[in-house]
Amino acid sequence: MSAFLRRVVSVGAVWLALAAPRSSHAQTPLTSPQLDSLVGRAMRTFDVPGLALAIVKDGQVVCAKGYGVRVAGTRPAVDANTLFAIASNSKAFTAAALGMLVDEGKLGWDDKVIDYLPEFRLYDPYATADCTIRDLLTHRSGLGPGAGDLMRSPDSTRFTIPDVIHNLRYLKPIAPFRSHYAYDNILYLVAGELVARVSGLSWDEFMERRILAPLQMRASRAAYDRIDHRKNPNVVLGHYEVAGHPQAIATSTTELDVGAGGIYSSAADMSRWMLTQLAGGRYGAGQRLFSDAVAKEMWTPQTIIPTSKNGDYNTHFGAYGLGWFLVDEKGYKVVFHTGGDEGQISEITLVPELNLGITVLTNQEGGGAVRALLDQLVDGYLGLRSTDLVQYWADRVKARAQAADTTAAAVWREVDRHPATTAAEAQTYAGTYRDPWLGEVRISQRAGGLWFQALKSPQLRGPLRPYRGNTFAVRWANPLLRSADAFVVFALNTQGQAKAMTMQGISPNTSPAYDFQDLDFKRVVK
């Protein structure tokens, strides 16, 4: 199997490129009892409270079904109409929205962004002037993976869409414009704002009026806070693992998912979306959401993603289109996308030549169940006989988690050997520090030592403990952010006072959403 991003799973929002062994003996697709058995075993293995599955084949819905419960420890069951966060699977909806505006002659894929959003600025003046609508959708801006995501997560940040667009100018690229692939969310926020400016509807309204309603995706909504929970309480909560068990968490309601994520949908509704995609934009009785030309453009490689070994899928090429990943597997084009929200993971996989689509939605932070199920199902339709993929992914996820735990444990053991920061030592570091795009962080002295607080991202707060030299470790007060605990490295001036600080994640599994490496704080002198 290719080590390309197709065989990627979002585990705790960390992208893992992992390969699974395969053998090529013929296999028919699973029967309904076999499918139920496979899903049940995957859910038990990965401790998933609830899961929904949709399969479409040859223009028909083969399966749209729910399993488990909406909230761990409660009775309401997941069914085909239960709403889940589809997160980054919303990107294909944004691309489709822009494609619809292309069909209407209101913009072109290669129009310049600044012609529609005059305030748009990137760090590089050339990139600002030449950045096209196509560039917003194809992860080739030169920015690093997840650049600027700290304006979006963790939940409750105080940034707005205008803030994000303004702050793009401060995000330094790590590579030349259009030179290579690096996944980002921020430019999809810009794309969402572009939909609003050109159409006269907010992104939320465009999604619901122009896409969800025509496709009869009746339960789906463009954002969590647009769900009327009195009329439709059939909505999951996300879950994180706490003390070895899934624990429900509050749902994020940030507006900073517009364009990049945000949509809540169900297995039944996603089957309609997949049928429309596989039909090249057609739906209903001869109606069209978008043209054949737009459908082709969205599934045409735009940014090349390197592959490694061909593997048992005999994969040669990988790319990102417009809102979709693209890869070849056993001679077939495979079109897919994954999505990771707080405590929820999803994926859509389409095999156009087989007229096949599969969606898996879960309300748990780990993506092992999604990966095992999709691999098993796709393999069946490709005529491959797989190894035990549930066990395979369980082993891989466990190994990676153990490696991360070992790394973090070693750091905190060393931290625990250090005495607390004294009041005199604290004077060296205490103060206000400012990053051009994240804003101010206050390092203050408390009874137990130093305390870190980001002013525009309230959840980024916690005790700052000595590690080595001028390097400290911050353990976030919110235990759900534990995998994002970070190093804080201070730079001193000639008088021995801290003048600047940088950050980096402690765990090798730190999500790209926590792009600490892009921060450059300078002490605010008052």
Side-chain angles (χ1 to χ4, degrees):
M1 168 189 153
S2 168
F4 172 65
L5 202 56
R6 163 68 179 92
R7 296 311 186 197
V8 175
V9 62
S10 179
V11 180
V14 179
W15 299 101
L16 314 178
L18 301 174
R22 296 288 186 273
S23 58
S24 55
H25 303 292
Q27 174 183 324
T28 58
L30 299 175
T31 65
S32 183
Q34 288 173 328
L35 178 60
D36 291 346
S37 176
L38 174 66
V39 171
R41 193 161 75 87
M43 291 177 68
R44 290 189 299 273
T45 300
F46 296 99
D47 214 358
V48 176
L51 180 148
L53 173 70
I55 303 173
V56 299
K57 182 76 169 72
D58 298 327
Q60 301 296 320
V61 178
V62 174
C63 171
K65 190 173 183 180
Y67 300 84
V69 294
R70 304 198 303 253
V71 182
T74 66
R75 294 179 64 86
V78 172
D79 59 33
N81 296 304
T82 301
L83 294 177
F84 291 75
I86 68 167
S88 285
N89 284 302
S90 304
K91 289 180 169 65
F93 287 79
T94 297
L98 288 168
M100 293 162 69
L101 296 173
V102 169
D103 281 337
E104 294 167 10
K106 294 181 178 179
L107 51 77
W109 293 120
D110 296 309
D111 289 352
K112 301 296 190 291
V113 175
I114 56 173
D115 290 341
Y116 300 90
L117 302 175
E119 71 274 30
F120 175 79
R121 295 288 184 277
L122 294 172
Y123 188 85
D124 177 5
Y126 164 72
T128 297
D130 209 48
C131 184
T132 65
I133 294 169
R134 187 187 306 273
D135 291 319
L136 295 179
L137 306 179
T138 49
H139 306 299
R140 62 187 190 188
S141 65
L143 296 174
D149 266 356
L150 279 170
M151 290 184 279
R152 302 174 59 245
S153 59
D155 190 19
S156 304
T157 69
R158 295 170 179 163
F159 293 92
T160 64
I161 295 294
D163 289 337
V164 170
I165 294 176
H166 177 81
N167 289 342
L168 278 170
R169 67 194 67 194
Y170 303 121
L171 294 172
K172 296 179 181 179
I174 63 169
F177 184 50
R178 297 193 185 117
S179 65
H180 81 302
Y181 165 86
Y183 190 88
D184 78 78
N185 289 296
I186 294 300
L187 292 182
Y188 266 85
L189 300 184
V190 179
E193 178 63 16
L194 190 62
V195 169
R197 297 279 182 97
V198 173
S199 71
L201 299 172
S202 70
W203 182 86
D204 293 339
E205 291 171 328
F206 192 102
M207 290 298 115
E208 293 181 4
R209 293 189 198 179
R210 300 289 309 277
I211 296 180
L212 302 182
L215 299 187
Q216 298 184 32
M217 299 174 68
R218 295 186 179 92
S220 300
R221 294 293 182 270
Y224 180 80
D225 59 7
R226 295 177 71 89
I227 302 169
D228 186 338
H229 292 268
R230 292 171 299 177
K231 294 182 179 179
N232 183 16
N234 193 4
V235 186
V236 300
L237 287 181
H239 294 76
Y240 273 67
E241 185 177 298
V242 178
H245 300 285
Q247 176 178 303
I249 60 173
T251 300
S252 171
T253 57
T254 177
E255 70 172 284
L256 295 181
D257 263 342
V258 170
I263 293 175
Y264 269 69
S265 193
S266 66
D269 282 0
M270 290 304 292
S271 67
R272 298 180 178 92
W273 173 243
M274 291 191 292
L275 289 170
T276 300
Q277 286 288 329
L278 290 167
R282 299 176 185 84
Y283 68 96
Q287 297 168 288
R288 272 195 171 277
L289 197 66
F290 45 79
S291 66
D292 281 332
V294 164
K296 181 179 179 181
E297 198 68 27
M298 289 192 291
W299 289 2
T300 295
Q302 310 285 335
T303 302
I304 300 303
I305 303 176
T307 62
S308 55
K309 297 179 181 178
N310 291 356
D312 292 319
Y313 282 118
N314 202 28
T315 294
H316 299 87
F317 306 105
Y320 199 87
L322 301 178
W324 293 98
F325 290 102
L326 309 166
V327 65
D328 69 306
E329 293 184 0
K330 298 298 289 185
Y332 293 100
K333 174 187 276 190
V334 176
V335 181
F336 72 99
H337 214 289
T338 53
D341 205 349
E342 294 183 349
Q344 301 189 56
I345 301 292
S346 63
E347 182 169 337
I348 303 170
T349 295
L350 307 170
V351 187
E353 292 155 290
L354 296 180
N355 208 1
L356 169 69
I358 305 172
T359 295
V360 180
L361 309 168
T362 66
N363 62 349
Q364 196 246 29
E365 64 169 331
V370 173
R371 182 73 277 130
L373 289 173
L374 273 163
D375 281 357
Q376 190 84 60
L377 292 169
V378 171
D379 283 4
Y381 284 101
L382 291 178
L384 298 173
R385 181 178 178 181
S386 301
T387 57
D388 182 351
L389 292 180
V390 172
Q391 188 59 52
Y392 172 82
W393 281 106
D395 292 343
R396 296 303 292 265
V397 170
K398 181 179 179 181
R400 187 173 175 89
Q402 286 177 338
D405 290 345
T406 299
T407 300
V411 169
W412 292 112
R413 280 197 301 271
E414 183 157 349
V415 166
D416 288 340
R417 289 197 292 266
H418 287 273
T421 308
T422 66
E425 291 170 335
Q427 292 302 313
T428 299
Y429 306 104
T432 299
Y433 298 78
R434 188 177 190 283
D435 174 78
W437 58 271
L438 189 66
E440 293 187 350
V441 162
R442 187 168 294 140
I443 306 296
S444 59
Q445 182 182 348
R446 294 192 175 186
L450 292 172
W451 184 264
F452 182 109
Q453 176 66 70
L455 302 190
K456 293 196 75 171
S457 187
Q459 289 204 51
L460 291 182
R461 66 185 188 278
L464 199 58
R465 304 272 307 279
Y467 176 59
R468 293 177 182 172
N470 298 326
T471 299
F472 288 68
V474 58
R475 169 158 276 173
W476 306 120
N478 183 346
L480 300 179
L481 303 183
R482 193 53 41 83
S483 65
D485 289 345
F487 290 120
V488 177
V489 183
F490 291 94
L492 306 184
N493 61 20
T494 54
Q495 286 74 45
Q497 289 292 112
K499 63 178 181 178
M501 69 179 189
T502 57
M503 298 178 68
Q504 67 182 70
I506 291 174
S507 170
N509 285 0
T510 301
S511 167
Y514 297 97
D515 54 321
F516 301 123
Q517 70 280 354
D518 295 327
L519 299 171
D520 186 14
F521 290 97
K522 306 298 182 187
R523 190 169 192 154
V524 176
V525 179
K526 298 182 179 179

